[in-house]
Structure formats: C-alpha cells, structure tokens
Amino acid sequence: MDKLTAMKLFVRIAQVRSFSKVANEMDVSPSYVSKHVAYLESQVDTRLLQRTTRSISLTLAGERYLARCLTILSQVELAEGELMEQTGIPSGKLRLSVPSVLGESATADMCAQFLSQYPNIDLDVMVEDRFIDLIEEGFDLCIRASSSQPDSNLIYRYIGKMPFDLVGSKTYLERHGYPKSVQDLKNLKIIVHRYANNTTFSFSKQGQIEKVNIHQRVRVNSAQLVHCLVARHQGLAFLPRYIFKHNPEIEVLLSDYDNGALTISLVYPEREHAPQKVRQFITFFKAWFEEQLAS
C-alpha cells in the first residue's frame, strides 16, 4: 500500500473522528480506509486509534504520529506545489463549498467556465449555506455570502457586494396590496432564508433607519426555493437581483429604500503557500463575480 495515502487517510480520521465520513469524502469504501489504517499500524507496530462502537480517539502514540504526519504531508504538498509552479499547469481535485444564494444556474455556469478554463482540475462542489469548518470537513475553499464574518484563523478574501431587493409576484400583490412604506410589511407574508438572524428587518432611506417586525410565512434553506415560492404567489422575499431579473411576473418593491447587501468572500485555510489550484480559482471567481454584477 502507498504510505502517503495511508497517512492522508489517518490524518482525516483524526480530524473528523469517523471512518465513514472519510470514506465518503474520498469516494472509497470504509473497508479501504480501515485497511490503510491497519497497514500504518502494522508498519509502526502499535495502535494509533482507539475504536469503539460509538467513538474514535487517538492513542498517545497516535497523537505523536499525527503531528509527524501533518509535517510530512505539508512538506509533500509544498514540494508538489513548487513543481506545479514550474510546469504552470494547475491540477488536482478542488473541494468547494458554495452558498445557495448564488443560484443553481449561475453556480452551474461558474463551474462550467472554470472546468473549461482549467481542464486538469476536478471539482467537488457542495451547495451549503451554513458556516462549514473547512479544516474538519476537508474543503480547499469556501464561497461565503454573509453580512458578517466570524472570527477565525482562516483567510478571508473580499470579492464584492451582492445587492438584494424586496420582491413579490404581481398576482400576490394584486391580491394583498402593494406596500407603500416599511410598516406595511407587517400585514404581508414574508418568505425568508433559514439562516436569517431574526424577524426584525432594517431599511435605510436618506440616512434614516426604519425597522419593522415581519411575519415569517415560510423559512427555507435555499435561495432558489425562496424564488420559486415568490413566483408561486406565496409572499414577499429579499432576493439577489440576478435570480429574478428574467422573471417578468416579479416586481421590485420599496425601491426608494436601501435594502442592503451581502458580502461575498472567498475563505480558505491559512497556509504558508496556497495551492496553485486555489489561487487560480480565487482569480477566476473574482473576475466571474464582477462580470455577473456588470451584466
């Protein structure tokens, strides 16, 4: 067996404490993972992991071996990166987390353009709006859409702002009335994203802040589903403009107010040298995002 592969599997098991999770990440069977761990243990003639039916933990020897594995794998990655720099051809698998607010069609377009531009890079994409743990879950890069960012030792690369509008379908508005002020929203149903912080929305107009408590008609964890529910006349919602701009049934409301925007950032683990595939994606995504806003 390949010892470096076994080390990589062992490190991931130590990080996530699960054979099945690592197997899913690597797209291999749990038995494949187990055999490589057993191979490592046979090589060092000691047990590295303490396994029960409910948990996995490192032995004392395992903790020491883990530290050495991390150093070795880091040096291997650095050496490979230096060689790739010389060839100028980025390659390998890029594990990427993408928020649903980008939209399925736009995300597919973005991925297709990147794959065409970098044929030697494979993409492993997860659409997920929660704040994932890049290190524990094994992601190279995460696109974040948030009005705030948590404190961490990750690197945040600011990309731009994604403006939102309050929208509703013409049919819903004809049935329930057009809001003329922020306070009118109290009488209308609002569809919100599950990760919205609270039921109080703030609007800005000529430097003045107005707040209103709204009724959450539906909470879902997908911006695309929010759009579909609005299009099916179930209430109002805040949506990024590019999601609804081709739907003539949807109207922008309270356009004289500033609804705010989400900050789009690229987040990746702090390393001495980011892999070339990560650097290439950062450059690509910034250009792609700016093009989307311009259009």
Side-chain angles (χ1 to χ4, degrees):
M1 288 186 178
D2 179 62
K3 186 172 287 188
L4 282 178
T5 299
M7 284 183 174
K8 290 177 183 178
L9 292 170
F10 168 67
V11 167
R12 285 303 295 151
I13 292 168
Q15 290 170 336
V16 304
R17 296 294 199 267
S18 170
F19 278 69
S20 59
K21 283 184 180 180
V22 174
N24 288 334
E25 281 182 14
M26 304 298 182
D27 196 23
V28 296
S29 66
S31 63
Y32 176 90
V33 177
S34 296
K35 288 177 182 177
H36 277 76
V37 172
Y39 165 73
L40 276 186
E41 291 179 330
S42 69
Q43 291 293 296
V44 297
D45 195 26
T46 190
R47 183 172 292 278
L48 301 173
L49 296 170
Q50 193 67 44
R51 284 157 276 187
T52 69
T53 55
R54 294 188 176 184
S55 66
I56 296 174
S57 60
L58 288 166
T59 63
L60 181 59
E63 290 178 357
R64 292 173 178 171
Y65 192 68
L66 174 63
R68 294 297 186 184
C69 285
L70 288 170
T71 300
I72 292 168
L73 293 174
S74 176
Q75 291 300 313
V76 170
E77 184 176 330
L78 182 59
E80 290 175 345
E82 289 175 350
L83 288 175
M84 292 307 299
E85 290 286 349
Q86 294 177 14
T87 64
I89 304 174
S91 62
K93 180 183 287 186
L94 183 71
R95 295 201 73 218
L96 178 66
S97 173
V98 180
S100 71
V101 74
L102 286 184
E104 291 180 2
S105 178
T107 299
D109 174 70
M110 180 264 291
C111 291
Q113 287 187 36
F114 183 77
L115 290 169
S116 297
Q117 194 167 332
Y118 298 99
N120 293 314
I121 297 180
D122 300 325
L123 284 179
D124 183 353
V125 181
M126 176 180 287
V127 180
E128 178 64 79
D129 288 317
R130 64 185 174 86
F131 276 20
I132 65 168
D133 187 322
L134 272 76
I135 305 298
E136 181 175 327
E137 298 180 55
F139 284 90
D140 296 297
L141 203 68
C142 174
I143 302 172
R144 289 264 169 88
S146 175
S147 56
S148 62
Q149 304 289 6
D151 293 332
S152 73
N153 60 354
L154 301 174
I155 298 176
Y156 282 78
R157 180 69 63 88
Y158 172 82
I159 299 298
K161 295 285 188 180
M162 178 183 288
F164 273 63
D165 286 313
L166 179 66
V167 299
S169 71
K170 293 179 181 178
T171 299
Y172 179 85
L173 294 165
E174 288 168 358
R175 292 173 182 170
H176 302 281
Y178 284 73
K180 295 182 174 58
S181 70
V182 169
Q183 298 307 315
D184 289 342
L185 298 180
K186 293 179 180 179
N187 305 315
L188 298 169
K189 309 299 184 185
I190 309 293
I191 303 163
V192 300
H193 195 283
R194 178 166 296 279
Y195 293 102
N197 292 329
N198 52 50
T199 59
T200 301
F201 285 0
S202 298
F203 294 79
S204 175
K205 184 177 182 181
Q206 298 177 348
Q208 300 296 316
I209 302 296
E210 295 185 46
K211 296 184 177 182
V212 62
N213 292 322
I214 56 92
H215 173 74
Q216 296 182 357
R217 172 66 169 169
V218 184
R219 295 180 70 221
V220 297
N221 66 345
S222 163
Q224 199 64 41
L225 183 52
V226 173
H227 174 223
C228 291
L229 288 168
V230 170
R232 286 163 175 75
H233 328 304
Q234 296 305 309
L236 311 183
F238 291 95
L239 286 173
R241 291 168 189 167
Y242 71 86
I243 285 185
F244 65 84
K245 65 183 180 181
H246 297 303
N247 189 338
E249 168 67 13
I250 292 180
E251 293 193 15
V252 175
L253 307 170
L254 302 179
S255 57
D256 51 340
Y257 288 85
D258 179 11
N259 301 325
L262 287 178
T263 297
I264 303 298
S265 303
L266 285 174
V267 187
Y268 50 100
E270 186 172 2
R271 294 172 177 162
E272 185 178 354
H273 297 287
Q276 190 180 27
K277 61 186 178 181
V278 171
R279 298 202 310 275
Q280 294 295 343
F281 185 86
I282 291 170
T283 301
F284 165 84
F285 182 75
K286 185 170 179 60
W288 178 85
F289 185 79
E290 290 173 352
E291 181 183 344
Q292 294 299 305
L293 287 183
S295 63

